[in-house]
Amino acid sequence: MIQQGTKTFRNISLALFAGGFVTFALLYSLQPLMPEISNAFSITPAHASLTLSVTTIAMALTMLFIGSMSDSVGRRFIMTAALVISSVIALLSAFSPGYTELLLLRILQGVALAGLPAIAMTYLSEEIEPRSLGYAMGLYISGNSIGGMAGRFISGVVTDWFSWRAAVGFIGILGLCAAVIFWLVIPPSRHFVKAAPGFKNPIPLLWSQCRNPRLLCLYGLGFLLMGGFVTLFNYIGFELTGEPYHLSQSIVGSLFVVYLMGTVSSTWM
């Protein structure tokens, strides 16, 4: 098992940090751009918010099953493929001719993005010794928060200078760069045991968890807290870029520096 302080541990930490960064940068990069998307396609704010909602839903549903796929295909391959495919889809999204095409691409991106967060914790628990595991997971989660913040902030700044399409394309390029870093430094799985392909195991496991009242309370807390949090930032851009504030996309994107608190606290916890 890999111990904290070794070169292999640093490589794993860097790879998972980069992976978490690009996953949440790609997922949330459109959030501060919703006013621009609404104007570009002449749609309502509610329709513009679907560009994030459909991606999140697709990602959440795919995460329920992609873990079983990794049991037979391998953790490293699926995580790397997820980062590359989702980054390429981001580049394609920058050229979306219409709103419907953008939504379809975002759904596909959600499916692809599920490949890393569904497997990362399992990969870490298989490869890292128990005493170092908490710190490694904290670093991975901090990459998530920094990626979510950076994706929103960078997309806002690039939109001010160029356009929302340029911002989405730029985040896609960043994603490909992070995917290359991930592929180069992530160590191969040494304690992975390949299983027979199939999706039978997740169904009874999911059903058993849905019958556990304590777990349902945890799921409900996550749903309510993240639901309120994401919804607030979905629509606050419409208010701040309009009357009476007229703030720029860069300023609206900078609101997400609050994510830095999550970066520090997740590693500390």
Side-chain angles (χ1 to χ4, degrees), residues 18 21-22 25-26 29 83-95 109 151 154 158 162 165-182:
F21 178 95
V22 65
L26 291 170
S29 59
L83 296 178
V84 173
I85 294 171
S86 56
S87 299
V88 171
I89 293 175
L91 290 172
L92 295 176
S93 300
F95 300 96
Q109 191 175 45
I154 292 171
V158 175
F162 300 100
R165 293 182 183 274
V168 174
F170 185 74
I171 296 296
I173 293 172
L174 282 181
L176 284 175
C177 293
V180 170
I181 294 173
F182 182 91

Side-chain angles (χ1 to χ4, degrees), residues 156-226:
V157 173
V158 175
T159 298
D160 269 348
W161 281 93
F162 300 100
S163 68
W164 72 268
R165 293 182 183 274
V168 174
F170 185 74
I171 296 296
I173 293 172
L174 282 181
L176 284 175
C177 293
V180 170
I181 294 173
F182 182 91
W183 176 69
L184 289 175
V185 302
I186 188 75
S189 299
R190 296 178 180 176
H191 302 280
F192 169 71
V193 179
K194 189 174 182 179
F199 292 98
K200 295 181 179 179
N201 291 333
I203 303 301
L205 179 60
L206 179 63
W207 175 243
S208 67
Q209 291 178 341
C210 288
R211 291 184 298 171
N212 188 322
R214 294 184 178 182
L215 289 178
L216 288 177
C217 288
L218 285 177
Y219 304 153
L221 283 173
F223 178 85
L224 293 173
L225 292 172
M226 283 301 298

Side-chain angles (χ1 to χ4, degrees), residues 1-3 12 75 122-129 187-194:
M1 302 293 281
I2 299 169
Q3 296 180 346
I12 284 184
R75 320 285 189 212
T122 302
Y123 171 83
L124 287 173
S125 64
E126 289 175 344
E127 304 301 322
I128 304 292
E129 65 155 357
S189 299
R190 296 178 180 176
H191 302 280
F192 169 71
V193 179
K194 189 174 182 179

Side-chain angles (χ1 to χ4, degrees), residues 1 18 22 27-28 36 44 51 68-69 75 86 89 112 130 136 159 208 225 241 258:
M1 302 293 281
V22 65
L27 177 63
Y28 287 113
E36 298 290 329
T44 65
T51 57
S68 294
M69 184 185 297
R75 320 285 189 212
S86 56
I89 293 175
T159 298
S208 67
L225 292 172
T241 56
V258 297

